[in-house]
Amino acid sequence: MKNPDPNFLAALQGARDNGLSIRSLVYFSVKKLDGTPVELGVWTGDEDMAISVMSGVTGQMVYREYYGGGLVEDIDPIPRVSDLTIQTVTITLSQIASVTQQLARGYDIRLGKVEIHRAILDRKSRRPVSAPELDFMGEIDGSPIDTPQIGEDGGIQINAVSDAISMLTRKNPLKSSYEAQKRRSGDEFGKYASTVSTWDIPWGQKKKKNS
């Protein structure tokens, strides 16, 4: 069971009287064109912000920088599912912000990692009332860039799929045969599969005596 931050809980309890100002924070772990790992964060605020959040990978608090003006709009609530349905989240970035231009056009974002946090801002100070809550971990699945006509709005939409479910449904070619299994630390699962497949097992029937 998760124990929410007392300040976060207090903000929720006082929402009826004080209202809520919720912001999305998105952090990308991608690569430069030469293969060097690089990280970049954006959020729906106007100014750049540095804040401590919980890493979805290590579970530890980490200090991260998020650029303002890069995330066009807050991300819709992420559905919670109880089956193996792969959750897809669409992240809409600004097409004119230099930081998102660098991300989409200057980096290799294929299969990059994404973490989404939610922050509740104090309506007076405009600062987060507590450490943002981790809301989603996923992998980049596409980044179409919509170039608008004159006078129209454009954007960069990045689709991310849930890490946990995509890993469960991913096929592993290393488990396809006994020979492949032997190369995996001596794993002999399936060693006798070819022999067992020829056995005649009389399930639910009385075994016939040999004449």
Side-chain angles (χ1 to χ4, degrees), residues 8 39 155:
F8 180 85
E39 298 179 338

Side-chain angles (χ1 to χ4, degrees), residues 167-186:
M167 289 176 66
L168 288 174
T169 57
R170 186 177 300 157
K171 294 182 179 179
N172 187 349
L174 294 179
K175 297 183 179 180
S176 60
S177 68
Y178 168 60
E179 293 302 320
Q181 288 284 353
K182 288 196 302 182
R183 294 192 292 271
R184 302 176 67 245
S185 302

Side-chain angles (χ1 to χ4, degrees), residues 1-75:
M1 181 177 179
K2 184 175 181 180
N3 295 319
D5 184 285
N7 294 324
F8 180 85
L9 186 59
L12 293 179
Q13 293 173 339
R16 182 184 296 273
D17 298 325
N18 304 320
L20 281 178
S21 181
I22 301 176
R23 295 291 183 267
S24 299
L25 296 82
V26 184
Y27 204 73
F28 298 95
S29 298
V30 295
K31 294 181 180 179
K32 294 182 179 179
L33 299 182
D34 62 2
T36 304
V38 63
E39 298 179 338
L40 185 148
V42 295
W43 75 302
T44 44
D46 296 326
E47 302 92 14
D48 299 344
M49 176 180 67
I51 190 172
S52 294
V53 299
M54 186 185 75
S55 167
V57 176
T58 66
Q60 303 297 316
M61 297 301 292
V62 292
Y63 196 65
R64 291 176 175 172
E65 294 184 355
Y66 292 86
Y67 290 96
L71 197 59
V72 172
E73 56 189 27
D74 280 308
I75 299 168

Side-chain angles (χ1 to χ4, degrees), residues 78 85-91 111-116 136-142 158-167 169-170:
I78 299 170
T85 302
I86 296 180
Q87 299 164 276
T88 301
V89 176
T90 300
I91 303 165
L111 303 181
K113 298 298 183 180
V114 178
E115 288 186 15
I116 299 175
F136 177 84
M137 287 180 61
E139 186 175 272
I140 295 176
D141 191 41
I158 294 181
N159 295 322
V161 295
S162 172
D163 247 354
I165 302 302
S166 63
M167 289 176 66
T169 57
R170 186 177 300 157

Side-chain angles (χ1 to χ4, degrees), residues 102-138:
Q102 178 65 41
L103 174 69
R105 302 180 188 274
Y107 295 150
D108 180 7
I109 66 174
R110 293 173 299 172
L111 303 181
K113 298 298 183 180
V114 178
E115 288 186 15
I116 299 175
H117 290 76
R118 304 281 190 182
I120 295 181
L121 304 186
D122 183 277
R123 297 186 70 87
K124 293 182 179 179
S125 68
R126 308 304 296 174
R127 295 293 299 174
V129 300
S130 64
E133 297 285 314
L134 178 63
D135 204 33
F136 177 84
M137 287 180 61

